């Protein structure tokens, strides 16, 4: 694969992102030529995560392979991203969500007034000042974590507990960064980015309810893009977030089908903004 061939580069970034979190939490993970799986942990709050990274010719065989792994792990819940659309977890009692756009933005200027450095981005969201800064220590990371948990939201992580989603060890993972947007001085939005040396992926772009429709999500995304000016950027967009990303220069390169198991479990969280 060429360095910037999409959508495979986007899938590789997602797999590497989850592997970095697994290392920080000491979780078991398996990476093969066609998929990556990360154990959900012993607390039961996270599902086992699977990212399919390459096309497959035998969907039934792939499902059987993954089912064997989950039996070994003692499956409670599973979240599987299938960007090739050929898997059917309903055969195993799973439930599919609507397909979501895997989007990519090639390196390009952000436009007038958007050329900012990686540390801060003064926003102009509908009359309210928005500033974005990178979380560089444990306290900053905790703020980013709380905003993601409460703003995305991640129901399984409510009420928020420090370090459960974003452990402090992530600050030592190369390429891994967290960002916090403040509006009039108060935490308003956040996201996580992961630069794998080829592309930069954006994850958990979140805005707290009281600060929505004020340019917070845009400010966060622009800060990440400005901090990685030579990198293509990628994310998986919800229907609500997709219009913003298109305005910022992202284009759809694939549709990813998300599956959850069991079907009666809580809604599967997605990778990008709401």
């Amino acid at each position: 694969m060429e360095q910037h061939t999409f959508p495979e580069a986007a899938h590789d970034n997602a797999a590497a992102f989850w592997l970095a979190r697994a290392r920080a939490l000491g979780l078991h993970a398996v990476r093969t030529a066609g998929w990556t799986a990360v154990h959900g942990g012993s607390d039961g709050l996270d599902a086992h995560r699977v990212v399919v990274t390459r096309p497959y010719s035998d969907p039934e065989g792939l499902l059987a392979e993954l089912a064997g792994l989950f039996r070994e792990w003692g499956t409670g819940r599973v979240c599987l991203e299938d960007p090739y659309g050929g898997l059917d977890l309903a055969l195993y009692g799973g439930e599919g969500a609507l397909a979501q756009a895997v989007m990519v933005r090639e390196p390009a200027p952000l436009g007038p007034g958007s050329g900012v450095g990686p540390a801060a981005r003064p926003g102009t969201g509908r009359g309210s000042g928005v500033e974005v800064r990178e979380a560089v220590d444990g306290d900053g990371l905790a703020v980013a974590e709380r905003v993601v948990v409460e703003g995305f939201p991640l129901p399984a992580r409510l009420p928020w507990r420090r370090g459960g989603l974003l452990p402090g060890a992530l600050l030592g993972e190369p390429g891994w960064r967290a960002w916090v947007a403040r509006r009039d001085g108060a935490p308003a939005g956040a996201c996580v980015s992961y630069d794998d040396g080829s592309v930069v992926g954006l994850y958990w772009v979140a805005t707290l309810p009281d600060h929505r429709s004020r340019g917070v999500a845009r400010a966060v995304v622009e800060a990440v893009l400005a901090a990685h000016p030579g990198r293509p950027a990628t994310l998986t967009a919800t229907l609500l977030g997709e219009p913003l990303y298109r305005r910022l220069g992202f284009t759809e390169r694939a549709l990813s089908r998300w599956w959850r198991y069991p079907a009666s479990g809580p809604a599967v969280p997605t990778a990008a903004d709401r």
Side-chain angles (χ1 to χ4, degrees), residues 34-35 135 173 175 201 211 238 243:
W35 52 268
E173 283 288 332
H211 299 278
T238 63

Side-chain angles (χ1 to χ4, degrees), residues 25-72:
L25 286 167
L27 300 177
H28 183 53
V30 177
R31 187 167 198 174
T32 74
W35 52 268
T36 293
V38 173
H39 195 285
S42 60
D43 62 8
L45 297 181
D46 292 331
H48 302 318
R49 175 74 56 160
V50 181
V51 181
V52 179
T53 54
R54 292 296 182 276
Y56 43 82
S57 58
D58 180 11
E60 291 80 9
L62 175 56
L63 280 175
E65 183 180 6
L66 291 172
L69 174 66
F70 298 143
R71 283 193 294 270
E72 177 185 336

Side-chain angles (χ1 to χ4, degrees), residues 169-240:
L170 281 170
L171 294 171
E173 283 288 332
W176 195 98
R177 304 170 81 172
W179 308 83
V180 176
R182 285 179 167 80
R183 179 170 167 257
D184 298 330
C191 84
V192 172
S193 64
Y194 187 76
D195 184 348
D196 62 9
S198 177
V199 302
V200 57
L202 285 80
Y203 301 88
W204 291 319
V205 179
T207 304
L208 292 174
D210 289 347
H211 299 278
R212 289 175 183 163
S213 301
R214 296 294 186 269
V216 173
R218 182 184 185 102
V220 171
V221 174
E222 287 188 345
V224 176
L225 296 176
H228 303 85
R231 288 274 191 261
T234 181
L235 51 79
T236 299
T238 63
L239 290 176
L240 290 178

Side-chain angles (χ1 to χ4, degrees), residues 65-268:
E65 183 180 6
L66 291 172
L69 174 66
F70 298 143
R71 283 193 294 270
E72 177 185 336
W73 282 358
T75 302
R77 293 187 296 124
V78 173
C79 177
L80 183 147
E81 302 174 42
D82 175 21
Y84 302 102
L87 300 181
D88 185 1
L89 261 67
L91 300 173
Y92 291 84
E95 180 180 5
L98 291 175
Q100 298 179 88
V102 178
M103 306 187 78
V104 172
R105 182 187 188 275
E106 296 288 356
L110 288 171
S114 297
V116 297
R121 193 271 184 191
T124 57
R126 300 194 181 183
S128 296
V130 180
E131 183 181 64
V132 181
R133 292 190 178 275
E134 183 179 356
V136 296
D137 57 24
D139 289 342
L141 182 62
V143 173
E145 180 185 45
R146 181 181 67 81
V147 172
V148 167
V149 169
E150 297 178 357
F152 200 72
L154 301 179
R157 287 283 171 191
L158 291 170
W160 166 69
R161 293 184 179 180
R162 180 168 175 161
L165 180 71
L166 303 180
L170 281 170
L171 294 171
E173 283 288 332
W176 195 98
R177 304 170 81 172
W179 308 83
V180 176
R182 285 179 167 80
R183 179 170 167 257
D184 298 330
C191 84
V192 172
S193 64
Y194 187 76
D195 184 348
D196 62 9
S198 177
V199 302
V200 57
L202 285 80
Y203 301 88
W204 291 319
V205 179
T207 304
L208 292 174
D210 289 347
H211 299 278
R212 289 175 183 163
S213 301
R214 296 294 186 269
V216 173
R218 182 184 185 102
V220 171
V221 174
E222 287 188 345
V224 176
L225 296 176
H228 303 85
R231 288 274 191 261
T234 181
L235 51 79
T236 299
T238 63
L239 290 176
L240 290 178
E242 188 173 335
L244 167 63
Y245 303 131
R246 290 191 183 279
R247 289 194 296 271
L248 290 172
F250 286 84
T251 59
E252 179 183 312
R253 298 296 182 90
L255 287 174
S256 186
R257 187 78 182 275
W258 289 57
W259 290 89
R260 64 183 176 190
Y261 171 90
S264 59
V268 174

